[in-house]
Amino acid sequence: METDRLMAKYLIETAQEPERAAAVMAGEQSTGTFVPVPGETDELRERAGARVESVRVVGESGAPALPHARAAGPGGVYRRAEVVLSWPLQNMGPSLGNVLATVAGNLFELRDFSGLRLTDVEFPAAFAQAYPGPRFGVAGTRRLAGVEGRPIIGTIIKPSVGLSPQETAAMVRELVRAGLDFIKDDELMANGPGNPFPERVAAVMEVIHEEAARTGRQAMFAFNLTGEIDEMFRHAEMVERAGGTCVMVSIHSVGLAGVAHLRRHCGLPIHGHRNGWGALTRAPLLGFEFTAWQKFWRLAGVDHLHCNGLRNKFWEPDDSVVASARECLTPLLGGYTVMPVLSSGQWAGQAPDTYRRLGTADLMYLCGGGICAHPRGVAAGVASVRQAWEAALAGVELKEYAAQHPELRAALEAFGQ
């Protein structure tokens, strides 16, 4: 395939012949519509039309995966196929928003399909010049956090909402003194009247600077910027002026253009929270694979990207979590990677399996209740997670390591079931 073409891979289900359905996809997302129109010449189609690169039948079903699709023909069979399409770069230019409209636009609504899922995207090299990717990524985040050789261990402000700036700062003091590397706002807290962003930044950074002066080490705090574009920029500048080292955005809420613009003008790591992602991926024959979806946000410039965690509190299976984390650590275009963030019901107990399955410590490991609800307190919760990772990295069984580490032993007793 030419290097100036955009490629997208799909899993489809259709009552039609898959080759015919693929042609419908290509026409709908480039030069065609449901009937021939004047001006759609052979020359225009050759120059600007999407191209069906391949169709491979992978199975069939006796019932449609999605409602309101076309009825199956004789035999009542819905065929499933892997389809690869490509488009000339001249159609949309190196623009993430327009690529998204091209590869994942009206396709999901076509009655020709009883299932359609975007599984991968390959961007032309021109996108590497248009989008610089993350400013910090794994190496830069480690440098700011002062953590090497093990995961960055963190937590989330809980309760998620209802705290005042002063109450948030008091919690941060306890968390920093407990030895955490990283703390973040919950995605539900941004700039509400009960905890205004400017007051929260002032109160939290005062505590972080005081503790850094005492210990010689500054914990990272990711302040949630999510909001209107001009508000986000004011708040990002506020965090930088206050000496902060990280900001966070709910990426679906602010969009690709918002994240890309923030990346160009913000000098801090961008912690990308993926809340809302489940709606795009939970149905197996609708939406996106993480393989495709994460590339958009990495190009836009996030430095950290949530992936859930093993044995999490959500729906996602462990194999999917592992695959997502590996995708974050797979070089893209300019060769960069981003820091996978493992969270959701995490505690000391998942550390050995996480390390065994990923084979790396290049990750953030965020524990809410697994730290804050430890029976011996927050400091013991942090110690238990660090001890679990020490055991994992050394190849020692948790129970064996816990025999000499009471914090880990207490965590196993409290959360082990």
Side-chain angles (χ1 to χ4, degrees):
M1 188 185 303
E2 298 96 323
T3 57
D4 63 346
R5 293 186 74 85
L6 172 75
M7 183 281 288
K9 184 184 295 185
Y10 303 87
L11 174 63
I12 67 166
E13 182 184 271
T14 180
Q16 303 182 45
E17 289 298 323
E19 291 78 6
R20 168 60 185 157
V24 170
M25 295 170 70
E28 178 70 25
Q29 293 306 109
S30 59
T31 61
T33 184
F34 71 100
V35 293
V37 295
E40 189 188 354
T41 63
D42 290 342
E43 185 278 328
L44 182 110
R45 280 192 295 269
E46 177 64 26
R47 172 168 44 84
R51 181 189 301 163
V52 178
E53 298 289 347
S54 65
V55 178
R56 182 172 67 89
V57 175
V58 296
E60 61 183 37
S61 173
L66 300 175
H68 309 302
R70 294 189 187 279
V77 171
Y78 293 84
R79 293 176 178 83
R80 295 178 180 177
E82 180 185 89
V83 173
V84 178
L85 304 182
S86 73
W87 295 259
L89 180 61
Q90 66 177 2
N91 281 16
M92 77 295 291
S95 163
L96 286 176
N98 287 305
V99 167
L100 190 62
T102 298
V103 303
N106 288 336
L107 285 175
F108 297 115
E109 302 187 50
L110 289 171
R111 290 185 61 210
D112 301 77
F113 300 93
S114 55
L116 194 147
R117 187 172 178 86
L118 178 66
T119 61
D120 203 1
V121 181
E122 289 185 12
F123 292 90
F127 281 82
Q129 286 78 52
Y131 296 93
R135 190 184 298 273
F136 291 86
V138 174
T141 300
R142 282 196 174 281
R143 185 176 65 253
L144 286 174
V147 175
E148 297 292 342
R150 62 168 176 81
I152 293 173
I153 297 172
T155 194
I156 309 97
I157 295 295
K158 299 288 184 182
S160 309
V161 293
L163 300 178
S164 69
Q166 292 70 34
E167 289 169 331
T168 304
M171 180 176 290
V172 170
R173 188 182 298 279
E174 181 180 11
L175 296 172
V176 172
R177 287 185 173 179
L180 281 164
D181 308 314
F182 179 90
I183 308 162
K184 77 173 190 68
D185 280 338
D186 191 89
E187 72 275 10
L188 300 179
M189 177 170 59
N191 188 30
N195 197 337
F197 190 90
E199 294 178 26
R200 186 165 76 255
V201 171
V204 167
M205 288 311 303
E206 181 179 2
V207 166
I208 286 178
H209 288 317
E210 287 175 1
E211 294 302 317
R214 185 176 64 84
T215 64
R217 181 171 175 268
Q218 179 173 325
M220 295 185 80
F221 191 101
F223 291 96
N224 185 13
L225 301 180
T226 305
E228 301 299 323
I229 294 289
D230 56 348
E231 178 189 48
M232 288 199 301
F233 279 91
R234 288 197 308 272
H235 288 170
E237 291 174 354
M238 192 179 299
V239 174
E240 288 194 71
R241 287 197 304 270
T245 54
C246 195
V247 295
M248 171 183 134
V249 289
S250 294
I251 54 181
H252 287 140
S253 300
V254 304
L256 287 166
V259 172
H261 201 50
L262 184 64
R263 160 62 179 87
R264 293 186 181 100
H265 299 282
C266 177
L268 300 177
I270 299 171
H271 188 88
H273 199 296
R274 70 178 193 178
N275 51 85
W277 162 238
L280 301 178
T281 195
R282 193 167 180 177
L285 271 166
L286 180 67
F288 295 70
E289 287 286 339
F290 189 83
T291 312
W293 175 88
Q294 54 93 27
K295 291 180 179 178
F296 286 91
W297 300 106
R298 289 171 65 178
L299 281 168
V302 297
D303 296 278
H304 318 147
L305 196 53
H306 280 238
C307 299
N308 279 336
L310 298 191
R311 300 189 290 282
N312 59 77
K313 66 181 181 182
F314 297 138
W315 68 275
E316 191 169 8
D318 287 355
D319 287 349
S320 175
V321 172
V322 171
S324 295
R326 286 176 175 163
E327 286 293 339
C328 291
L329 294 169
T330 300
L332 179 65
L333 286 184
Y336 55 81
T337 61
V338 295
M339 180 75 82
V341 180
L342 274 68
S343 63
S344 171
Q346 301 304 282
W347 61 286
Q350 296 103 320
D353 287 343
T354 301
Y355 181 63
R356 177 180 58 81
R357 297 205 59 183
L358 285 180
T360 181
D362 281 338
L363 56 100
M364 281 187 172
Y365 195 72
L366 305 189
C367 308
I371 283 176
C372 297
H374 191 284
R376 297 191 179 190
V378 174
V382 175
S384 73
V385 175
R386 284 197 175 178
Q387 291 160 6
W389 275 99
E390 289 168 4
L393 293 168
V396 179
E397 291 291 329
L398 277 191
K399 288 185 178 179
E400 179 183 343
Y401 206 71
Q404 302 300 320
H405 296 85
E407 297 88 353
L408 178 57
R409 186 166 62 251
L412 293 176
E413 292 170 355
F415 308 132
Q417 299 305 316

